[in-house]
Amino acid sequence: MDIQLKRGLLDVCVLKAIKDAPSYGYRIIKDLKPYVALSESTLYTILKRLETGEMLTVKSVEHDGRLRKYYSITNAGVKRISEFKEEWNEIMSIYRFIVKEDGADE
């Protein structure tokens, strides 16, 4: 899969994982596991990119004597999910064109 396409897909997956409630790294990985395999290093790279893009915010909270970072989606992150849904319709149209049988629609 094209690396840029995959990056965009993973970004939206992470945003979706935190859309309904703030979450932390291990929980995000666990929530996404049925859909996509994501390593910790990949996740934290994505989280940093989304934070830099102001699509999420980070808050440190003490948990069992350690600081745990909780990630929350911003309005820009919610907007990115909506934009992705619109873009996906175009992607699916292109996909249908590519996989259609030769001469099937002639």
Side-chain angles (χ1 to χ4, degrees), residues 1-100:
M1 176 183 291
D2 177 74
I3 191 73
Q4 294 299 326
L5 177 59
K6 188 171 186 177
R7 178 182 291 169
L9 292 171
L10 293 176
D11 287 0
V12 174
C13 286
V14 170
L15 289 170
K16 177 62 177 164
I18 65 171
K19 185 173 184 270
D20 295 330
S23 193
Y24 54 95
Y26 176 76
R27 172 47 106 193
I28 295 168
I29 289 172
K30 189 174 177 183
D31 289 345
L32 292 177
K33 191 173 185 177
Y35 309 101
V36 62
L38 200 60
S39 69
E40 282 187 47
S41 61
T42 299
L43 174 63
Y44 288 107
T45 300
I46 292 167
L47 290 169
K48 189 65 179 166
R49 182 171 54 247
L50 293 172
E51 181 184 9
T52 301
E54 300 181 346
M55 290 184 238
L56 58 80
T57 58
V58 183
K59 179 181 177 183
S60 294
V61 176
E62 188 172 334
H63 178 77
D64 292 336
R66 298 177 41 206
L67 286 180
R68 176 183 280 173
K69 290 184 177 182
Y70 281 85
Y71 301 90
S72 300
I73 196 166
T74 64
N75 288 336
V78 172
K79 182 179 177 187
R80 178 64 196 116
I81 293 172
S82 294
E83 291 169 348
F84 171 79
K85 289 176 181 179
E86 291 175 18
E87 293 165 359
W88 193 253
N89 289 328
E90 183 179 358
I91 291 168
M92 288 307 298
S93 178
I94 293 167
Y95 171 79
R96 285 188 295 275
F97 170 74
I98 292 169
V99 299
K100 76 176 181 177

